[in-house]
Amino acid sequence: TVLVIGACGQLGLELTAALREKYEPAHVIAADVRAPKQPELLAGGPFELLDVLDKARLEQLIQQYEPKQIYHLAALLSATAEKDPMFAWKLNMDGLLNVLNLSVQYQVAQVYWPSSIAVFGPDTPRHDTPQLCIMNPNTVYGISKLAGEQWCEWYHRKHGLDVRSLRYPGLIGYKSLPGGGTTDYAVDIYHKAVAGENYQCFLKEDSYLPMMYMPDALKATLDLMHAPADSIKVRTSYNLGAMSFSPAEITASIQQQVPGFEVSYAPDQRQAIADSWPASIDDSAARQDWGWQPDFDLDKMTADMLLHLKEMQPA
Ligand code: VAH
């Protein structure tokens, strides 16, 4: 079986669906701290309530389901974490350590844990950010992700745990509403365009950030987890890239299909977070080690997002 912790989140919803397509749905256990609003998560296979800070409850689920893989996705994202730093650190760090310790204790074959471009900071080279470079993250979320990466490497080196990780760029998908991410303007903007409304963007129009369409993120995650262990040379977390764009560029891409769609700009506290992150990522290590190759560019993503969001529009 496969256990997905944080299954109701932006990535968790989509990864649970992808895993249930790949494996027997009954073998993919979705777990989250609160019951899902999405019926398909309940209908598609087993759902369990789990607060990943409750180690005894996590242990009980591991004993009950004996998962071969655990995908641990539960965390507070960048903007939300800045508002509640001590809880963000606790959830992001103690949650990960509970998963790593129990995975060693119960010999879970593989663990997946997402990192982020948020591990980079203002001192990091901004263009084609290398796999190995100055990090100095200045957000709580980034600090917790950088520390988490070092813990993953330590558990691999000290206990032989096959834990793998990807530094996701901003992820954009149509199945889940945006969470507390700084890149989530790029999800919101499509919803507004399909609803026939204009959009007020909380970043400046030239805020150029690394981004990825959800199908590419799912492909990368499953490809990484199915690659032979000896091909995984990076045990902190792999840089992963697909495209980079600014609010102005995604607006232009949408306007080609939604003429008259207008965007205004009102940068808020998330601008400082975006300014501390890279503009583009060098993901050559992922391409060399396990054959990473993205499928979606901006216009292809826009076409697919608008198509699916229009289908989901209330009749
Ligand atoms: C966030 N979407 O904005 C997440 C991600 C790189 C951005 O980590 O916090």
Side-chain angles (χ1 to χ4, degrees), residues 138-203:
N138 63 4
T139 62
V140 173
Y141 174 71
I143 293 164
S144 75
K145 286 299 183 185
L146 182 56
E149 290 187 1
Q150 303 306 320
W151 275 118
C152 289
E153 195 278 333
W154 189 89
Y155 272 81
H156 178 258
R157 182 161 32 89
K158 293 284 184 183
H159 297 287
L161 183 64
D162 187 358
V163 49
R164 305 183 187 190
S165 179
L166 295 171
R167 288 169 181 164
Y168 290 127
L171 299 186
I172 297 154
Y174 56 84
K175 285 188 187 163
S176 48
L177 285 174
T182 300
T183 56
D184 288 334
Y185 86 87
V187 178
D188 269 337
I189 195 166
Y190 286 112
H191 287 266
K192 291 290 185 297
V194 166
E197 296 163 25
N198 288 334
Y199 179 58
Q200 178 170 293
C201 182
F202 55 72
L203 295 183

Side-chain angles (χ1 to χ4, degrees), residues 115-117 167-171 183 209-212 240-243 281:
S115 183
S116 159
I117 59 166
R167 288 169 181 164
Y168 290 127
L171 299 186
T183 56
L209 286 168
M211 298 281 195
M212 180 177 288
L240 191 75
M243 54 182 148
I281 298 291

Side-chain angles (χ1 to χ4, degrees), residues 10-298:
Q10 179 195 19
L11 176 62
L13 261 178
E14 303 244 16
L15 197 54
T16 301
L19 289 164
R20 284 177 173 166
E21 265 166 42
K22 194 176 188 68
Y23 304 119
E24 259 300 303
H27 295 167
V28 180
I29 295 82
D32 209 307
V33 70
R34 63 183 65 81
K37 291 188 282 294
Q38 300 81 2
E40 69 275 9
L41 253 188
L42 282 170
F47 178 83
E48 294 284 358
L49 282 174
L50 167 67
D51 175 348
V52 71
L53 294 176
D54 178 349
K55 193 173 178 182
R57 170 67 177 150
L58 176 56
E59 181 167 13
Q60 179 198 13
L61 288 179
I62 291 174
Q63 287 169 333
Q64 179 182 345
Y65 288 103
E66 297 178 342
K68 202 165 151 303
Q69 288 181 327
I70 296 180
Y71 288 78
H72 172 44
L73 312 175
L76 291 199
L77 292 183
S78 58
T80 313
E82 287 303 298
K83 293 177 191 148
D84 194 347
M86 290 305 106
F87 177 64
W89 174 258
K90 186 175 176 59
L91 172 61
N92 293 9
M93 286 326 316
D94 293 353
L96 173 62
L97 290 169
N98 284 348
V99 171
L100 293 173
N101 285 320
L102 286 169
S103 294
V104 169
Q105 186 181 341
Y106 286 89
Q107 286 136 16
V108 173
Q110 282 188 304
V111 175
Y112 178 75
W113 178 74
S115 183
S116 159
I117 59 166
V119 294
F120 300 113
D123 310 328
T124 303
R126 280 180 57 74
H127 298 278
D128 295 326
T129 299
Q131 178 70 42
L132 291 173
C133 62
I134 297 170
M135 314 297 272
N136 292 347
N138 63 4
T139 62
V140 173
Y141 174 71
I143 293 164
S144 75
K145 286 299 183 185
L146 182 56
E149 290 187 1
Q150 303 306 320
W151 275 118
C152 289
E153 195 278 333
W154 189 89
Y155 272 81
H156 178 258
R157 182 161 32 89
K158 293 284 184 183
H159 297 287
L161 183 64
D162 187 358
V163 49
R164 305 183 187 190
S165 179
L166 295 171
R167 288 169 181 164
Y168 290 127
L171 299 186
I172 297 154
Y174 56 84
K175 285 188 187 163
S176 48
L177 285 174
T182 300
T183 56
D184 288 334
Y185 86 87
V187 178
D188 269 337
I189 195 166
Y190 286 112
H191 287 266
K192 291 290 185 297
V194 166
E197 296 163 25
N198 288 334
Y199 179 58
Q200 178 170 293
C201 182
F202 55 72
L203 295 183
K204 287 187 308 194
E205 65 180 307
D206 60 351
S207 298
Y208 203 67
L209 286 168
M211 298 281 195
M212 180 177 288
Y213 193 33
M214 190 60 78
D216 270 337
L218 299 174
K219 181 177 96 168
T221 308
L222 297 179
D223 284 359
L224 172 79
M225 292 301 275
H226 288 87
D230 57 10
S231 68
I232 306 299
K233 307 283 187 289
V234 173
R235 289 290 179 171
T236 47
S237 186
Y238 275 96
N239 278 9
L240 191 75
M243 54 182 148
S244 292
F245 55 77
S246 64
E249 289 171 322
I250 188 173
T251 299
S253 176
I254 294 172
Q255 285 169 335
Q256 282 170 19
Q257 311 206 22
V258 186
F261 173 59
E262 290 299 323
V263 173
S264 58
Y265 297 93
D268 66 14
Q269 78 287 356
R270 287 167 283 193
Q271 185 63 50
I273 295 175
D275 291 343
S276 74
W277 288 348
S280 60
I281 298 291
D282 171 359
D283 59 1
S284 46
R287 292 168 192 255
Q288 279 150 23
D289 293 358
W290 44 274
W292 166 239
Q293 181 67 40
D295 292 327
F296 285 85
D297 64 13
L298 176 54

